[in-house]
């Protein structure tokens, strides 16, 4: 399986949006570890604690706090800067938040993407951009079959619809502007990412960790639901490999699904929670149904294009991803350095070439 190539990233000027978030923090640590010169653009962290603060990400990158919903703020940060590569991860990522604030979610995920793409037009030296959307961009009929990249886009909740719209916005900017400039623009469709350092509201693993540390039982809304769980290291490795290919091979697909290790066991929400509470020595979870929930009951993606076109597939199945994640939280909870834990797990992942 192909892994990110440190020689490719060494010295590259990378714009990373969303560096104050969970995945963005891990991305900043890994990219700088490979020698990239990273500029971060994001809102201030909305988690307490946050990986951004725990791992001192601010001092790893050229960090800028700005709101992508404000075009003038984006222009002010980017100014005359030029970049080789762009990884756009900033977003409003929570389904339940999107139901509470649909307009704000569309503003962040659709117009934020449009403002960024507009600001990046005509940049000297830009080779490729990757916009991260979601595995929820598909029109989900709840049939349980894995979605392939050619399937219709949709989204019954505002988050999913906003990410499907971001796909359309990205493709339109690519065809209208960037392809003419020789800049390859792609999208990565994945989600349900787990790993150490996520303290977001309404995320399963973060909720489990908070409950365990408070001596409480976590409440599950849909324990029977299935999701394509993916560890953050597999997820980021996929993004990096796709960006490498976009920058070097014009035949690279422009939209690619990423998900868990093929052939691994399908893990329900309840099964993942059971593995997690056992690893943490926490109280068993309890079920409290939410009849008003818009969340899909079944979700899976077909990742065969990533294997064929990129030589990439995830290394960790659901149980292995949970084990690695809980090891991070357990050790961080007793005082180990968050940055050191991230560096250690990245190193172990890289060493298995």
């Amino acid at each position: 399986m192909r892994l990110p190539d440190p020689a490719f990233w060494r010295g590259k000027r990378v714009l990373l949006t969303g560096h104050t978030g969970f995945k963005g923090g891990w991305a900043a640590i890994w990219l700088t570890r490979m020698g990239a010169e990273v500029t971060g653009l994001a809102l201030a962290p909305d988690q307490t604690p946050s990986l951004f603060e725990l791992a001192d990400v601010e001092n790893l990158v050229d960090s800028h706090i700005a709101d992508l919903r404000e075009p003038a703020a984006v222009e002010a940060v980017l100014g005359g800067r030029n970049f080789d590569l762009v990884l756009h991860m900033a977003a409003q990522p929570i389904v339940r938040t999107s139901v509470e604030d649909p307009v704000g979610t569309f503003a962040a995920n659709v117009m934020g993407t449009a403002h960024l793409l507009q600001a990046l037009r005509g940049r000297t030296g830009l080779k490729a951009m990757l916009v991260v959307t979601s595995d929820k961009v598909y029109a989900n009929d709840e049939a349980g079959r894995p979605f392939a990249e050619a399937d219709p886009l949709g989204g019954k909740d505002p988050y999913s619809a906003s990410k499907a719209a971001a796909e359309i916005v990205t493709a339109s900017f690519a065809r209208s502007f960037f392809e003419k400039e020789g800049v390859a623009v792609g999208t990565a469709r994945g989600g349900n990412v787990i790993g150490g350092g996520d303290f977001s509201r309404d995320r399963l693993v973060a909720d489990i960790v908070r409950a365990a540390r408070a001596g409480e039982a976590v409440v599950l809304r849909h324990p029977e639901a299935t999701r394509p769980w993916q560890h953050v290291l597999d997820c980021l490795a996929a993004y990096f490999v796709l960006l490498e290919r976009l920058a070097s091979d014009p035949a690279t697909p422009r939209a690619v699904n990423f998900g868990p290790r093929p052939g691994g066991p399908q893990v329900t929400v309840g099964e993942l929670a059971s593995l997690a509470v056992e690893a943490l020595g926490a109280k068993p979870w309890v079920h409290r149904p939410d009849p008003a929930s818009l969340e899909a009951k079944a979700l899976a993606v077909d990742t065969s294009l990533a294997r064929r076109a990129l030589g990439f597939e995830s290394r960790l199945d659901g149980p292995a991803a949970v084990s690695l994640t809980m090891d991070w939280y357990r050790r961080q909870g007793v005082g180990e350095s968050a940055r050191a834990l991230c560096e250690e797990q990245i190193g172990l992942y890289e060493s298995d070439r």
Side-chain angles (χ1 to χ4, degrees):
M1 185 208 80
R2 183 171 176 176
L3 284 173
D5 180 8
F8 171 88
W9 292 95
R10 192 172 301 118
K12 289 291 193 301
R13 300 165 299 173
V14 180
L15 174 62
L16 171 65
T17 74
H19 68 294
T20 59
F22 156 57
K23 286 196 298 182
W26 277 90
I29 293 167
W30 199 345
L31 286 169
T32 55
R33 177 186 173 90
M34 292 190 292
E37 300 170 5
V38 179
T39 299
L41 189 163
L43 292 172
D46 61 356
Q47 308 172 26
T48 304
S50 70
L51 183 62
F52 179 73
E53 294 166 341
L54 291 172
D56 196 25
V57 172
E58 182 175 14
N59 289 316
L60 275 179
V61 304
D62 181 15
S63 178
H64 298 269
I65 302 302
D67 191 340
L68 285 170
R69 293 170 294 186
E70 301 293 339
V74 177
E75 290 283 0
V77 169
L78 299 188
R81 292 180 173 88
N82 291 313
F83 306 98
D84 300 303
L85 303 161
V86 175
L87 178 54
H88 175 37
M89 298 172 62
Q92 191 298 98
I94 307 296
V95 171
R96 280 164 65 93
T97 301
S98 80
V99 175
E100 296 166 0
D101 183 14
V103 174
T105 298
F106 280 102
N109 296 352
V110 183
M111 292 310 301
T113 298
H115 293 156
L116 178 68
L117 293 172
Q118 175 68 12
L120 288 167
R121 289 175 56 192
R123 298 274 163 171
T124 301
L126 186 59
K127 299 178 178 65
M129 293 190 289
L130 181 63
V131 174
V132 174
T133 60
S134 173
D135 51 13
K136 297 179 178 65
V137 297
Y138 297 107
N140 193 341
D141 57 6
E142 301 283 2
R145 70 174 183 83
F147 293 106
E149 288 83 354
D151 284 330
L153 301 178
K156 61 183 179 181
D157 62 82
Y159 169 75
S160 303
S162 74
K163 285 297 193 174
E167 287 272 349
I168 296 170
V169 167
T170 301
S172 71
F173 267 82
R175 287 191 295 267
S176 299
F177 309 113
F178 290 108
E179 287 179 3
K180 297 173 183 177
E181 299 172 5
V183 179
V185 181
T187 59
R189 302 171 180 176
N192 297 283
V193 176
I194 63 174
D198 187 2
F199 297 96
S200 301
R201 167 181 173 249
D202 283 328
R203 283 248 184 85
L204 177 59
V205 169
D207 287 345
I208 291 169
V209 171
R210 271 190 293 270
R213 291 181 176 180
E216 300 170 353
V218 69
V219 175
L220 303 185
R221 298 185 299 272
H222 301 291
E224 77 291 348
T226 59
R227 295 287 184 270
W229 308 107
Q230 186 181 31
H231 192 272
V232 66
L233 292 175
D234 275 332
C235 172
L236 293 177
Y239 297 167
F240 298 159
V241 167
L242 178 52
L243 253 176
E244 290 174 20
R245 290 294 293 271
L246 285 168
S248 59
D249 184 355
T252 302
R254 295 309 196 253
V256 184
N257 288 338
F258 296 110
R261 180 180 174 182
Q266 192 173 59
V267 180
T268 67
V269 168
E271 289 167 342
L272 185 146
S274 294
L275 290 169
V277 298
E278 180 180 359
L280 293 174
K283 292 183 178 179
W285 56 266
V286 297
H287 180 204
R288 194 171 297 156
D290 180 4
S293 173
L294 294 176
E295 295 183 53
K297 302 299 184 294
L299 179 61
V301 291
D302 179 347
T303 60
S304 58
L305 178 62
R307 292 197 301 277
R308 294 195 310 272
L310 306 177
F312 180 87
E313 66 179 23
S314 292
R315 295 182 164 199
L316 303 168
D317 60 18
V322 173
S323 176
L324 196 60
T325 297
M326 293 305 129
D327 181 64
W328 192 102
Y329 282 110
R330 189 169 50 247
R331 294 169 62 187
Q332 185 269 333
V334 296
E336 291 195 42
S337 160
R339 169 92 68 83
L341 288 169
C342 292
E343 294 272 9
E344 177 186 312
Q345 292 192 349
I346 292 168
L348 289 171
Y349 189 90
E350 289 178 320
S351 68
D352 188 19
R353 289 185 179 268

